[in-house]
Amino acid sequence: MEDRGYAAADKIVVISEDFKKNIMAKGVPEEKIVMIRNWVDESAVLSVDRRDNSLFDTYSLDREKFYVCYSGNVGMTQNMDMLLDVAKSLMDDSRIGFVIVGDGAYKQKVEERIANEGITNVTLIPFQPYEKISEVFSLGDCGLIISKKGVGSNSVPSKTWSVMSASRPVLASFDKGSELDMIVTENNCGICVEANDADAFREAVVKMADERENNALMGARGRKYIEENLTRAIGTGKWVEVMKSMKK
C-alpha cells in the first residue's frame, strides 16, 4: 500500500531531509519529493520575561534559579530515567532546577521515582491551555529535547521550533549526526549531546548554568532562525507553491 501510494502521488511532502532519504531508499524519485519542515506560529510563541510569567507563581518556582524545562509527551522514548538520574546527581547544586510540563504513558513512573528517591529539584506541571504556550516555553533558561538513542533519524520534534521561537536555547540529548543536531549546532542556538550519554548531558546543564549570558545569545540566534526559515507564512507559502506546481 505504501509503494502504491508513492507511485500514484504527483508530489510527496516530507518534514525533514532524513525522511526524504528514507523514502528515496524505497525507490521514490527525488523529483517527486518536496521537503517542508513543520513550522511554528512565531506570533503565538514569544519570549515572556520571568517577572511577567504567571507560571512561576502558580507552581512556586524560584525566579533566580536556572531551569531546564521539558514540555511535551512524557513517554517511553523520551529517556526520562536518564533525565531523573542527572537531576538527582545535581541536587546539591542549588542553582539548578528541572521542570517537566506534560503527560504521557511514563509520567506515573516519573512521579514514583521522584517520590521514592526524594528527587527534590524536579517540578512536574500538567499540560497548560494553549493561551499559556509562550509562558510554558519561557519557563526554562533552556528548552530540553530528549530521546533514547536511535530515535533521531526517525523524528524531528516540533517542540524544538517552539523553544527557539520563545528565544530559548535548545538543550538536546539526541542522536548526534541527526538533522536536529545539525540545525542546533550549525546555527549555534543550543547544545546537542549524544543520546544516552548522561555525563555529557550533565556537563551541558552545568555549562549552561554557568554561562547565562551566552544562553541569551543562543536563544536570540534560535529566534532569528525561526523568523528566517520556519514561520507560518513561510511554511504555508511552500505548500501553496507545491499546489501550484501540480496544475495541469
Side-chain angles (χ1 to χ4, degrees):
M1 289 177 66
E2 184 179 359
D3 289 340
R4 287 181 180 179
Y6 293 152
D10 293 301
K11 291 289 182 183
I12 301 168
V13 176
V14 295
I15 63 170
S16 76
E17 290 292 342
D18 288 335
F19 288 5
K20 179 179 176 178
K21 293 174 186 175
N22 178 284
I23 63 172
M24 284 178 64
K26 297 175 181 178
V28 178
E30 185 173 8
E31 59 269 19
K32 266 195 178 187
I33 306 169
V34 181
M35 197 277 286
I36 304 176
R37 289 195 175 98
N38 289 338
W39 62 86
V40 60
D41 187 346
E42 78 288 354
S43 64
V45 187
L46 299 164
S47 177
V48 176
D49 191 277
R50 287 191 166 186
R51 293 168 297 182
D52 305 317
N53 193 329
S54 65
L55 296 179
F56 278 85
D57 298 317
T58 302
Y59 294 99
S60 302
L61 297 171
D62 184 350
R63 284 183 167 87
E64 299 303 314
K65 276 193 175 184
F66 175 89
Y67 283 108
V68 177
C69 184
Y70 173 83
S71 179
N73 180 44
V74 184
M76 303 297 183
T77 65
Q78 276 73 41
N79 214 350
M80 288 291 144
D81 283 315
M82 192 192 78
L83 172 59
L84 294 178
D85 289 342
V86 170
K88 188 176 179 180
S89 76
L90 288 168
M91 281 173 54
D92 290 338
D93 193 332
S94 60
R95 303 173 301 158
I96 299 173
F98 295 80
V99 180
I100 300 173
V101 183
D103 205 344
Y106 208 70
K107 187 174 182 180
Q108 184 177 342
K109 294 289 186 183
V110 171
E111 292 170 333
E112 289 172 357
R113 277 202 62 186
I114 290 172
N116 294 339
E117 299 175 32
I119 303 174
T120 57
N121 59 347
V122 178
T123 301
L124 297 178
I125 296 177
F127 274 125
Q128 298 297 300
Y130 186 75
E131 57 265 25
K132 294 276 188 182
I133 190 168
S134 290
E135 292 181 67
V136 167
F137 283 101
S138 298
L139 268 177
D141 291 271
C142 61
L144 178 60
I145 310 297
I146 186 168
S147 73
K148 294 179 179 176
K149 196 170 181 62
V151 175
S153 62
N154 297 312
S155 68
V156 182
S158 296
K159 69 173 70 67
T160 308
W161 315 141
S162 294
V163 171
M164 293 162 64
S165 187
S167 300
R168 296 301 184 270
V170 176
L171 174 56
S173 175
F174 211 73
D175 288 337
K176 294 293 287 181
S178 64
E179 196 160 347
L180 184 147
D181 173 34
M182 178 194 70
I183 291 170
V184 170
T185 302
E186 289 184 358
N187 293 281
N188 195 12
C189 58
I191 298 175
C192 184
V193 300
E194 185 64 75
N196 287 9
D197 190 336
D199 291 337
F201 178 50
R202 187 183 191 279
E203 289 174 10
V205 172
V206 174
K207 178 179 173 65
M208 282 187 155
D210 289 339
E211 301 177 359
R212 291 202 188 189
E213 289 185 6
N214 190 44
N215 292 343
L217 294 174
M218 289 192 292
R221 286 191 286 266
R223 175 70 190 189
K224 183 173 184 287
Y225 181 85
I226 294 298
E227 291 174 345
E228 293 179 352
N229 298 277
L230 296 173
T231 65
R232 183 175 180 176
I234 291 171
T236 54
K238 288 180 179 179
W239 274 94
V240 170
E241 289 305 311
V242 171
M243 301 302 179
K244 286 181 177 178
S245 72
M246 293 167 58
K247 286 184 176 179
K248 300 297 184 183

